[in-house]
Amino acid sequence: MHRILPRLLFAPLLLWASAAAAQPSPIARPMLAAHNAVRAQIGLPPLVWSDQLAEVARDWGNRLIATHAFAHRPNNRYGENLYTISGAYGSPAQVVGVWADERRAYDLRGNRCSSMCGHYTQIVWRTTRAVGCAVVSVPGREVWVCNYDPPGNYVGERPY
């Protein structure tokens, strides 16, 4: 009887912890919607949300915050977009909007960029199927990271 009681008391805590861990990120829906709105503009199928990619993104965002750095993850097997903001807070629409605005720098006919456009082309890479993102913040700074699977931005290939 003594052994059963602690397990019975502990079991609800495990169920609660598992349910809490299974909760989607509060940015999941708005980030996915913002990505898919950009893709819909050019007739691409929508992406699906990946909790696994979001966890990879959160891990890297934590590292960037902890080291006061801002760089892509080395040897990343996924595509990756980064955004940082200081002294304010970003929103999913704002972050994806900044990346999507790079469309103006992309020349579809010549398949080249007049300036930075790799964030945009990763969002609209035709073979990418899943995205997962995270935002990590400390007072005065936020870092947003999105990972994409399969990755895009292969030199010489067109995004769509």
Side-chain angles (χ1 to χ4, degrees), residues 3-4 19 21 23 31 34-35 43 50 53 55 61 68 70 76 86 96 106 108 125 128-129 136 146 150 154-155:
R3 290 183 175 204
I4 294 173
Q23 295 298 315
M31 283 301 277
H35 276 81
S50 167
L53 293 174
E55 187 55 38
H68 307 284
F70 189 68
N76 194 353
S86 297
V96 175
Y106 179 65
L108 179 61
W125 201 263
T128 297
R129 298 290 176 249
V136 179
C146 286
Y154 292 104
V155 175

Side-chain angles (χ1 to χ4, degrees), residues 58-144:
R58 177 164 308 288
D59 176 65
W60 188 242
N62 283 329
R63 172 85 177 240
L64 294 175
I65 287 286
T67 60
H68 307 284
F70 189 68
H72 286 286
R73 178 190 294 263
N75 305 313
N76 194 353
R77 63 182 276 201
Y78 304 114
E80 182 178 75
N81 280 351
L82 302 175
Y83 177 86
T84 190
I85 187 168
S86 297
Y89 298 100
S91 70
Q94 174 190 3
V95 172
V96 175
V98 167
W99 295 333
D101 282 347
E102 293 177 6
R103 180 179 188 175
R104 292 180 282 206
Y106 179 65
D107 172 23
L108 179 61
R109 182 176 292 201
N111 190 35
R112 61 182 158 257
C113 303
S114 60
S115 61
M116 186 179 298
C117 71
H119 301 100
Y120 167 71
T121 55
Q122 177 57 82
I123 291 171
V124 297
W125 201 263
R126 71 183 171 281
T127 58
T128 297
R129 298 290 176 249
V131 63
C133 306
V135 58
V136 179
S137 29
V138 293
R141 182 176 182 220
E142 282 187 344
V143 173
W144 295 71

Side-chain angles (χ1 to χ4, degrees), residues 9-69:
L9 292 174
F10 191 63
L13 292 175
L14 285 177
L15 291 174
W16 177 81
S18 296
Q23 295 298 315
S25 163
I27 67 165
R29 282 189 178 157
M31 283 301 277
L32 184 61
H35 276 81
N36 286 335
V38 175
R39 291 174 65 87
Q41 291 173 357
I42 54 173
L44 290 173
L47 300 174
V48 297
W49 184 262
S50 167
D51 289 331
Q52 176 187 355
L53 293 174
E55 187 55 38
V56 171
R58 177 164 308 288
D59 176 65
W60 188 242
N62 283 329
R63 172 85 177 240
L64 294 175
I65 287 286
T67 60
H68 307 284

